[in-house]
């Protein structure tokens, strides 16, 4: 069954974001590891307890498998339900849960093979969602993708698909929405506030000053010297 979910963090008033599909049926149980990801392990654990076997660990009592590969698979599937993740995010989660590196690597590589982990698709969708949904510029998008462990070459390709004209149009929209709240302030304070807002959202200084100057000129504001850095 294919599960499709909206991108996380999308604001309610922004409409549906990019979709990201994950086919969890493409990760079969491996031979010798038991049926299913948790249900069979739970039955085995209860059976051992009734047969007078050794005391079960807290993990086994909860119906979780003892095998580290099955544990890693279950953890990844739970984390991927409802939101996409990068390989590094999943690797960090497995490390935090003390999954052995060899088991983690086996599961992560398998998930990449079947398309459940796809950092390139993640980066493309992230750029699309965060630019159109939050108005973020290239610099902010690069910073965010770096924190999620996406490879630099993958980031460059994803951000490179953001059209420069579209980025500037988005910057103009942001300034237009903010402009009214700056009326009544002196010119230099308006410039700093508007250009600072664009800088925080990841727009370069040159584009920020150009967009702010155009917006102020349209209101009849004197923009002499505005090309100078603030």
């Amino acid at each position: 069954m294919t599960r499709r979910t909206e991108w996380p963090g999308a604001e309610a008033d922004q409409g549906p974001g990019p979709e990201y599909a994950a086919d969890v049926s493409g990760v079969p149980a491996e031979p010798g590891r038991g049926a299913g990801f948790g249900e069979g392990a739970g039955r085995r654990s209860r059976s051992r307890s009734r047969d007078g076997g050794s005391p079960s660990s807290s993990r086994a009592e909860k119906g979780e498998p003892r095998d580290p590969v099955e544990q890693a698979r279950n953890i990844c599937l739970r984390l991927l339900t409802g939101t996409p993740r990068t390989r590094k995010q999943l690797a960090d989660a497995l490390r935090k849960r003390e999954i052995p590196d060899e088991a983690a690597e086996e599961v992560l590589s398998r998930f990449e093979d079947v398309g459940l982990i796809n950092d390139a698709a993640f980066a493309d969708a992230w750029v699309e969602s965060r630019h159109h949904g939050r108005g973020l510029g290239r610099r902010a998008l690069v910073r965010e993708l770096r924190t999620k462990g996406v490879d630099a070459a993958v980031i460059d390709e994803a951000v490179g698909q953001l059209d420069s004209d579209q980025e500037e149009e988005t910057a103009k929209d942001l300034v237009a929405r903010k402009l009214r709240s700056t009326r009544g302030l002196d010119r230099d304070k308006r410039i700093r506030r508007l250009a600072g807002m664009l800088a925080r959202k990841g727009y370069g200084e040159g584009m920020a000053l150009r967009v702010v100057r155009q917006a102020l000129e349209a209101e009849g504001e004197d923009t002499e010297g505005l090309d100078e850095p603030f």
Side-chain angles (χ1 to χ4, degrees):
M1 178 180 69
T2 298
R3 183 185 301 275
R4 300 182 69 86
T5 60
E6 294 184 1
W7 191 266
E11 301 294 337
D13 59 350
Q14 293 169 356
E19 294 181 330
Y20 188 102
D23 185 357
V24 297
S25 64
V27 188
E30 298 183 12
R33 301 203 186 278
F37 295 143
E39 181 181 354
R43 286 198 296 268
R44 290 194 298 274
S45 175
R46 290 191 295 270
S47 175
R48 285 195 297 269
S49 179
R50 287 194 298 268
D51 293 342
S54 60
S56 300
S57 66
S58 59
R59 182 176 285 122
E61 289 171 355
K62 294 177 182 177
E64 296 185 10
R66 291 173 177 269
D67 184 87
V69 172
E70 289 192 32
Q71 292 176 30
R73 184 188 295 114
N74 287 354
I75 290 168
C76 289
L77 287 174
R78 285 198 298 269
L79 290 174
L80 288 168
T81 299
T83 181
R85 312 266 181 170
T86 65
R87 178 173 178 132
K88 182 180 185 301
Q89 286 177 306
L90 292 172
D92 289 345
L94 295 177
R95 191 174 301 112
K96 185 180 296 185
R97 289 163 174 78
E98 300 182 347
I99 299 296
D101 290 344
E102 185 177 347
E105 180 66 25
E106 179 180 338
V107 171
L108 293 173
S109 296
R110 175 59 175 158
F111 273 41
E112 278 190 327
D113 289 343
V114 299
L116 291 177
I117 300 174
N118 188 329
D119 282 3
F122 179 99
D124 289 344
W126 187 269
V127 168
E128 177 75 13
S129 174
R130 299 289 281 176
H131 177 70
H132 292 288
R134 300 293 298 275
L136 298 188
R138 294 171 187 263
R139 294 181 180 182
L141 293 168
V142 169
R143 285 196 300 269
E144 290 187 342
L145 288 170
R146 280 177 180 165
T147 65
K148 297 185 180 301
V150 179
D151 182 76
V154 175
I155 293 175
D156 289 344
E157 185 172 351
V159 174
Q161 296 178 37
L162 180 59
D163 182 79
S164 297
D165 292 338
Q166 176 60 52
E167 186 182 22
E168 185 161 337
E169 285 302 314
T170 302
K172 288 179 181 179
D173 290 341
L174 291 170
V175 169
R177 292 200 294 267
K178 184 78 172 177
L179 198 62
R180 179 176 297 180
S181 67
T182 67
R183 289 172 185 161
L185 301 176
D186 66 75
R187 191 204 69 165
D188 288 351
K189 193 167 187 178
R190 296 186 81 188
I191 293 170
R192 285 193 295 271
R193 186 165 296 185
L194 293 168
M197 178 268 296
L198 290 179
R200 288 190 297 275
K201 286 187 172 289
Y203 292 87
E205 183 180 272
M207 179 183 291
L209 289 174
R210 181 170 64 253
V211 169
V212 171
R213 184 188 67 238
Q214 292 171 353
L216 294 180
E217 285 177 348
E219 285 196 341
E221 186 80 68
D222 178 13
T223 62
E224 183 180 354
L226 186 51
D227 291 329
E228 309 260 340
F230 263 77

